[in-house]
Amino acid sequence: MNLRTGIRSVGKGLPVLGLAIAELVLFCLFLTAVSLIGVGLGVLLVPALAVAVRAVANRSRATAERWSGHPVEQPYLPAPAAAPGLKGQWRRTRWVLTDPATWRDLAWMLVNPVAGVVVALLPLALVAGGIGGMLMPAIHRPIADAGTNYYLWVRISDLTSAWYCAALGVAVLAAGLATGPALLRAHAALARTLLAPTRTAERVRRLTHTRSEAVSSSAAELRRIERDLHDGAQARLVALGMNLGVAEQLLSKDPEAVRAILADTRRASAAALTELRDLVRGIHPPVLADRGLADAVRALALDSPLDVTVHADLPGRPEAPVESAMYFAVAEALANAAKHAAPDTVRVDLRYEGGALHGRVVDDGRGGADPSRGTGLRGIERRLAAFDGVLVITSEPGGPTTLTMELPCALS
């Protein structure tokens, strides 16, 4: 144990004791305010006291983070939209009372006074007891015997007992210095247990975030489709109508000109049809709907300029949205590999295991893939996250690069 660390840790628990007393007072005030909701006064008091409760709880989170080195995130649900009058105040009160994090904060405020007393006073008591034991051999005082002319030196105990107490004091002092850091870490672990977001709350928060991103991404995709239709196929169809109108006017006057216009119209209609097929393929490829994920990915491999091998072990078909998400994730991974990695070979593995659809794309390119440096990998993450899926990237400089994708689903 580092002696300096032990000495410093002994006094660190004292602020926790003061914080614990404030938490106990707030706990009593908050429950009192809740009991007054029936008479209307609690509707005004609960949101105001919730601000104080959360401020003190956040202070405990910051202390736990400082002592443990692990951040303790705030688990609170988003606040409702502001509304005037008593209706808005009741909405805020209901938001506070229905948030599970509020009651976890109150549970911490009930537990922390006990834990705070132990963290603050136990190391100090051990250190003080140890120092007292070490000073035991030096404790003596002269006492005058009223019946004699000399002084009797009276010790607290005999010399053997004194040195035994001194040795015990050294042990108790060492225990006190060692107990301080251990108690701080234990207190931080207890705070994380009660104050950190639960797995369910964290999942809800992540799904809320990914749903927002998915909605934004879908809106951007709809705008792209609208733009492509307006600038591409729609413009060609308008031109077709104009050409046919001109041909109708020239039909009796200049048949050769009409023939040229019709030939140009046929080529324009073929180009418009190709653009519409490409647009449909970008929304949901027909091969994916007709033949399933494995064959659709094999079709991707055939169209890719890279040397791609596909291995699939899928005993059934997942739901269409999940199937589409994995398909486009693999397509984006192959496009990124061709654009950035310059690999010689790429391997795609698809399998279903443990209630999830797993996809893995491995290339032997230059490596160094980083989601923060481009939109391709971030797009894959957003696409998978909308279905509670995950993307794990392993890409050291020099390669290889492995993208592991997982989507929870059930097969048909």
Side-chain angles (χ1 to χ4, degrees), residues 291-295 312-319 322-323 350-353 356-357 409-412:
R291 303 180 61 182
L293 179 61
D295 286 339
D313 182 15
L314 300 176
R317 292 188 62 173
E319 296 178 351
V322 174
E323 198 174 48
L350 299 171
R351 60 186 173 87
Y352 183 80
E353 182 180 345
L357 176 63
C409 67
L411 296 185
S412 60

Side-chain angles (χ1 to χ4, degrees), residues 180-230:
L183 284 177
L184 294 183
R185 290 192 297 268
H187 187 273
L190 179 63
R192 289 200 308 273
T193 301
L194 288 178
L195 296 179
T198 62
R199 183 175 300 179
T200 301
E202 189 64 27
R203 184 180 180 188
V204 169
R205 177 186 296 183
R206 187 161 64 90
L207 287 177
T208 301
H209 177 69
T210 54
R211 181 182 65 180
S212 177
E213 287 192 338
V215 170
S216 300
S217 178
S218 298
E221 187 69 12
L222 288 174
R223 288 192 297 270
R224 182 190 67 81
I225 293 172
E226 182 182 6
R227 184 174 62 251
D228 290 346
L229 285 173
H230 181 272

Side-chain angles (χ1 to χ4, degrees), residues 192-361:
R192 289 200 308 273
T193 301
L194 288 178
L195 296 179
T198 62
R199 183 175 300 179
T200 301
E202 189 64 27
R203 184 180 180 188
V204 169
R205 177 186 296 183
R206 187 161 64 90
L207 287 177
T208 301
H209 177 69
T210 54
R211 181 182 65 180
S212 177
E213 287 192 338
V215 170
S216 300
S217 178
S218 298
E221 187 69 12
L222 288 174
R223 288 192 297 270
R224 182 190 67 81
I225 293 172
E226 182 182 6
R227 184 174 62 251
D228 290 346
L229 285 173
H230 181 272
D231 298 340
Q234 180 178 338
R236 292 185 183 277
L237 292 175
V238 171
L240 287 178
M242 295 175 64
N243 286 345
L244 291 175
V246 173
E248 184 181 8
Q249 294 178 2
L250 296 177
L251 183 61
S252 59
K253 300 178 182 178
D254 192 349
E256 291 299 324
V258 171
R259 182 178 291 107
I261 292 174
L262 291 178
D264 183 61
T265 301
R266 181 175 56 81
R267 289 191 295 270
S269 65
L273 182 59
T274 300
E275 289 184 357
L276 287 174
R277 284 174 175 170
D278 291 340
L279 186 62
V280 171
R281 190 178 296 112
I283 299 173
H284 193 78
V287 65
L288 180 61
D290 297 338
R291 303 180 61 182
L293 179 61
D295 286 339
V297 172
R298 291 189 180 100
L300 275 178
L302 292 175
D303 293 338
S304 175
L306 305 174
D307 180 11
V308 183
T309 57
V310 179
H311 297 268
D313 182 15
L314 300 176
R317 292 188 62 173
E319 296 178 351
V322 174
E323 198 174 48
S324 178
M326 182 61 76
Y327 171 85
F328 284 109
V330 172
E332 185 66 33
L334 293 178
N336 283 343
K339 184 177 180 180
H340 302 292
D344 294 325
T345 60
V346 181
R347 177 187 174 97
V348 180
D349 294 313
L350 299 171
R351 60 186 173 87
Y352 183 80
E353 182 180 345
L357 176 63
H358 298 265
R360 188 175 65 166
V361 180

